[in-house]
Amino acid sequence: MTDTDEQKIEEIRKLTERIARDKARVYELIPLVFPEKRGEPQVRGRLNEVVEASGFTREYVARIRDGKGPKEAR
């Protein structure tokens, strides 16, 4: 049996909500993985690791790390 249009719309709604939660969590995690934000010694290559893991540009990750990224990251 195929899903009705209403069921498909509800699935879209749920998936969109999950995407928003997942993005918010990524924005929350990014600053947390930079030891210098915790007053610890900087880890060489950490920015590159986060860029690779996230698919974001270096500039975008740095902005999120510094609290200047999207509203969700502030």
Side-chain angles (χ1 to χ4, degrees):
M1 181 177 193
T2 59
D3 292 340
T4 66
D5 289 347
E6 290 75 20
Q7 289 170 319
K8 291 173 187 167
I9 290 169
E10 183 57 28
E11 183 177 0
I12 291 168
R13 182 176 290 110
K14 288 178 182 179
L15 291 169
T16 301
E17 289 170 359
R18 188 171 77 196
I19 290 167
R21 284 192 310 273
D22 289 348
K23 277 180 88 172
R25 180 66 175 150
V26 168
Y27 296 144
E28 178 184 318
L29 287 171
I30 287 175
L32 299 178
V33 299
F34 289 92
E36 63 269 25
K37 300 299 271 181
R38 300 185 302 262
E40 300 170 8
Q42 188 175 9
V43 173
R44 187 171 175 87
R46 181 57 47 94
L47 180 62
N48 288 336
E49 288 177 318
V50 176
V51 166
E52 188 176 312
S54 68
F56 297 151
T57 64
R58 290 174 56 84
E59 179 182 357
Y60 195 57
V61 170
R63 289 181 56 80
I64 295 168
R65 175 197 63 200
D66 298 339
K68 299 175 185 173
K71 292 177 188 172
E72 296 92 342
R74 294 180 198 162

